Amino acid sequence: TGAGSNTDRTGFLAYYSTGNKQNGSGTPTSYGASFTTNDVIGVALDLDGGNLTFYKNGVSQGVAFTGLAGKQLAASVGNGTGAAFDGMP
């Protein structure tokens, strides 16, 4: 699924501990394996292809989001409780 418009600064792309993913205010959908304490989650952003992929313990969970080429993006890290470091200005 694609991301929001280039000027949408309130959208987000998420991979939750339940294994679901979510794009902006959309409904979470099934995506990959669930994760918990001591799992290592990685993220790969292909700016040329416009794809974002998450990894659990070094194993790709598949392409989570497409259509990101040319979009304004910022990094954010959260723990699922609403507390997060947000790289957006």
PDB file of all heavy atoms in Angstrom, residues 2-11 67-74 88:
ATOM      1  N   GLY A   2       0.432   2.248  -0.649  1.00  0.00           N
ATOM      2  CA  GLY A   2       1.213   3.472  -0.767  1.00  0.00           C
ATOM      3  C   GLY A   2       1.072   4.365   0.440  1.00  0.00           C
ATOM      4  O   GLY A   2       0.282   4.134   1.334  1.00  0.00           O
ATOM      5  N   ALA A   3       1.869   5.416   0.433  1.00  0.00           N
ATOM      6  CA  ALA A   3       1.850   6.390   1.522  1.00  0.00           C
ATOM      7  C   ALA A   3       1.014   7.593   1.117  1.00  0.00           C
ATOM      8  O   ALA A   3       0.568   7.696  -0.017  1.00  0.00           O
ATOM      9  CB  ALA A   3       3.272   6.817   1.851  1.00  0.00           C
ATOM     10  N   GLY A   4       0.840   8.515   2.047  1.00  0.00           N
ATOM     11  CA  GLY A   4       0.059   9.720   1.797  1.00  0.00           C
ATOM     12  C   GLY A   4       0.749  10.669   0.835  1.00  0.00           C
ATOM     13  O   GLY A   4       1.819  10.394   0.315  1.00  0.00           O
ATOM     14  N   SER A   5       0.150  11.807   0.599  1.00  0.00           N
ATOM     15  CA  SER A   5       0.686  12.774  -0.350  1.00  0.00           C
ATOM     16  C   SER A   5       2.001  13.356   0.148  1.00  0.00           C
ATOM     17  O   SER A   5       2.347  13.253   1.320  1.00  0.00           O
ATOM     18  CB  SER A   5      -0.317  13.904  -0.563  1.00  0.00           C
ATOM     19  OG  SER A   5      -0.358  14.734   0.576  1.00  0.00           O
ATOM     20  N   ASN A   6       2.745  13.989  -0.752  1.00  0.00           N
ATOM     21  CA  ASN A   6       4.047  14.562  -0.424  1.00  0.00           C
ATOM     22  C   ASN A   6       3.951  15.646   0.640  1.00  0.00           C
ATOM     23  O   ASN A   6       4.911  15.914   1.336  1.00  0.00           O
ATOM     24  CB  ASN A   6       4.693  15.118  -1.698  1.00  0.00           C
ATOM     25  CG  ASN A   6       6.184  15.285  -1.547  1.00  0.00           C
ATOM     26  OD1 ASN A   6       6.820  14.572  -0.789  1.00  0.00           O
ATOM     27  ND2 ASN A   6       6.736  16.219  -2.267  1.00  0.00           N
ATOM     28  N   THR A   7       2.798  16.269   0.782  1.00  0.00           N
ATOM     29  CA  THR A   7       2.653  17.341   1.764  1.00  0.00           C
ATOM     30  C   THR A   7       2.006  16.852   3.051  1.00  0.00           C
ATOM     31  O   THR A   7       1.823  17.617   3.973  1.00  0.00           O
ATOM     32  CB  THR A   7       1.809  18.496   1.178  1.00  0.00           C
ATOM     33  OG1 THR A   7       0.527  17.969   0.801  1.00  0.00           O
ATOM     34  CG2 THR A   7       2.492  19.109  -0.022  1.00  0.00           C
ATOM     35  N   ASP A   8       1.653  15.571   3.135  1.00  0.00           N
ATOM     36  CA  ASP A   8       1.030  15.019   4.334  1.00  0.00           C
ATOM     37  C   ASP A   8       2.105  14.756   5.374  1.00  0.00           C
ATOM     38  O   ASP A   8       2.814  13.766   5.320  1.00  0.00           O
ATOM     39  CB  ASP A   8       0.288  13.724   3.994  1.00  0.00           C
ATOM     40  CG  ASP A   8      -0.380  13.099   5.215  1.00  0.00           C
ATOM     41  OD1 ASP A   8      -0.350  13.690   6.303  1.00  0.00           O
ATOM     42  OD2 ASP A   8      -0.918  12.000   5.060  1.00  0.00           O
ATOM     43  N   ARG A   9       2.211  15.616   6.385  1.00  0.00           N
ATOM     44  CA  ARG A   9       3.241  15.477   7.411  1.00  0.00           C
ATOM     45  C   ARG A   9       2.686  14.810   8.661  1.00  0.00           C
ATOM     46  O   ARG A   9       3.394  14.676   9.634  1.00  0.00           O
ATOM     47  CB  ARG A   9       3.815  16.846   7.741  1.00  0.00           C
ATOM     48  CG  ARG A   9       4.501  17.476   6.541  1.00  0.00           C
ATOM     49  CD  ARG A   9       5.046  18.798   6.916  1.00  0.00           C
ATOM     50  NE  ARG A   9       6.004  18.591   7.978  1.00  0.00           N
ATOM     51  CZ  ARG A   9       7.263  18.959   7.945  1.00  0.00           C
ATOM     52  NH1 ARG A   9       7.727  19.559   6.887  1.00  0.00           N
ATOM     53  NH2 ARG A   9       8.066  18.741   8.949  1.00  0.00           N
ATOM     54  N   THR A  10       1.417  14.429   8.657  1.00  0.00           N
ATOM     55  CA  THR A  10       0.840  13.786   9.827  1.00  0.00           C
ATOM     56  C   THR A  10       0.742  12.276   9.650  1.00  0.00           C
ATOM     57  O   THR A  10       0.405  11.576  10.585  1.00  0.00           O
ATOM     58  CB  THR A  10      -0.561  14.340  10.136  1.00  0.00           C
ATOM     59  OG1 THR A  10      -1.401  14.088   9.008  1.00  0.00           O
ATOM     60  CG2 THR A  10      -0.503  15.827  10.407  1.00  0.00           C
ATOM     61  N   GLY A  11       1.039  11.770   8.464  1.00  0.00           N
ATOM     62  CA  GLY A  11       0.960  10.341   8.212  1.00  0.00           C
ATOM     63  C   GLY A  11       2.126   9.594   8.843  1.00  0.00           C
ATOM     64  O   GLY A  11       3.130  10.169   9.227  1.00  0.00           O
ATOM     65  N   GLY A  67       5.352   3.077  -3.068  1.00  0.00           N
ATOM     66  CA  GLY A  67       4.942   4.417  -3.484  1.00  0.00           C
ATOM     67  C   GLY A  67       5.573   5.534  -2.674  1.00  0.00           C
ATOM     68  O   GLY A  67       5.016   6.635  -2.593  1.00  0.00           O
ATOM     69  N   LEU A  68       6.746   5.296  -2.091  1.00  0.00           N
ATOM     70  CA  LEU A  68       7.376   6.293  -1.228  1.00  0.00           C
ATOM     71  C   LEU A  68       8.378   7.184  -1.954  1.00  0.00           C
ATOM     72  O   LEU A  68       8.830   8.168  -1.384  1.00  0.00           O
ATOM     73  CB  LEU A  68       8.076   5.602  -0.058  1.00  0.00           C
ATOM     74  CG  LEU A  68       7.180   4.731   0.822  1.00  0.00           C
ATOM     75  CD1 LEU A  68       8.009   4.025   1.879  1.00  0.00           C
ATOM     76  CD2 LEU A  68       6.086   5.560   1.456  1.00  0.00           C
ATOM     77  N   ALA A  69       8.729   6.834  -3.195  1.00  0.00           N
ATOM     78  CA  ALA A  69       9.705   7.638  -3.942  1.00  0.00           C
ATOM     79  C   ALA A  69       9.199   9.069  -4.070  1.00  0.00           C
ATOM     80  O   ALA A  69       8.040   9.311  -4.404  1.00  0.00           O
ATOM     81  CB  ALA A  69       9.943   7.031  -5.318  1.00  0.00           C
ATOM     82  N   GLY A  70      10.074  10.032  -3.745  1.00  0.00           N
ATOM     83  CA  GLY A  70       9.713  11.444  -3.862  1.00  0.00           C
ATOM     84  C   GLY A  70       8.881  11.985  -2.720  1.00  0.00           C
ATOM     85  O   GLY A  70       8.499  13.146  -2.729  1.00  0.00           O
ATOM     86  N   LYS A  71       8.582  11.158  -1.719  1.00  0.00           N
ATOM     87  CA  LYS A  71       7.783  11.606  -0.576  1.00  0.00           C
ATOM     88  C   LYS A  71       8.679  12.226   0.485  1.00  0.00           C
ATOM     89  O   LYS A  71       9.848  11.886   0.611  1.00  0.00           O
ATOM     90  CB  LYS A  71       7.014  10.443   0.056  1.00  0.00           C
ATOM     91  CG  LYS A  71       6.097   9.699  -0.885  1.00  0.00           C
ATOM     92  CD  LYS A  71       4.960  10.552  -1.349  1.00  0.00           C
ATOM     93  CE  LYS A  71       4.037   9.721  -2.230  1.00  0.00           C
ATOM     94  NZ  LYS A  71       3.062  10.516  -2.916  1.00  0.00           N
ATOM     95  N   GLN A  72       8.131  13.139   1.271  1.00  0.00           N
ATOM     96  CA  GLN A  72       8.850  13.722   2.389  1.00  0.00           C
ATOM     97  C   GLN A  72       8.732  12.761   3.564  1.00  0.00           C
ATOM     98  O   GLN A  72       7.631  12.453   4.022  1.00  0.00           O
ATOM     99  CB  GLN A  72       8.253  15.080   2.752  1.00  0.00           C
ATOM    100  CG  GLN A  72       9.001  15.780   3.844  1.00  0.00           C
ATOM    101  CD  GLN A  72       8.468  17.178   4.078  1.00  0.00           C
ATOM    102  OE1 GLN A  72       7.499  17.597   3.463  1.00  0.00           O
ATOM    103  NE2 GLN A  72       9.087  17.896   4.976  1.00  0.00           N
ATOM    104  N   LEU A  73       9.867  12.246   4.042  1.00  0.00           N
ATOM    105  CA  LEU A  73       9.866  11.242   5.096  1.00  0.00           C
ATOM    106  C   LEU A  73      10.710  11.697   6.276  1.00  0.00           C
ATOM    107  O   LEU A  73      11.647  12.464   6.116  1.00  0.00           O
ATOM    108  CB  LEU A  73      10.436   9.921   4.559  1.00  0.00           C
ATOM    109  CG  LEU A  73       9.751   9.351   3.323  1.00  0.00           C
ATOM    110  CD1 LEU A  73      10.550   8.196   2.768  1.00  0.00           C
ATOM    111  CD2 LEU A  73       8.335   8.930   3.653  1.00  0.00           C
ATOM    112  N   ALA A  74      10.364  11.220   7.463  1.00  0.00           N
ATOM    113  CA  ALA A  74      11.146  11.488   8.667  1.00  0.00           C
ATOM    114  C   ALA A  74      11.120  10.249   9.538  1.00  0.00           C
ATOM    115  O   ALA A  74      10.135   9.520   9.570  1.00  0.00           O
ATOM    116  CB  ALA A  74      10.559  12.671   9.430  1.00  0.00           C
ATOM    117  N   MET A  88      10.328  14.514  12.974  1.00  0.00           N
ATOM    118  CA  MET A  88       9.686  15.552  12.163  1.00  0.00           C
ATOM    119  C   MET A  88       9.856  16.918  12.802  1.00  0.00           C
ATOM    120  O   MET A  88       9.672  17.050  14.013  1.00  0.00           O
ATOM    121  CB  MET A  88       8.204  15.259  11.974  1.00  0.00           C
ATOM    122  CG  MET A  88       7.921  14.023  11.160  1.00  0.00           C
ATOM    123  SD  MET A  88       6.156  13.869  10.915  1.00  0.00           S
ATOM    124  CE  MET A  88       6.107  13.757   9.167  1.00  0.00           C
TER     125      MET A  88
END
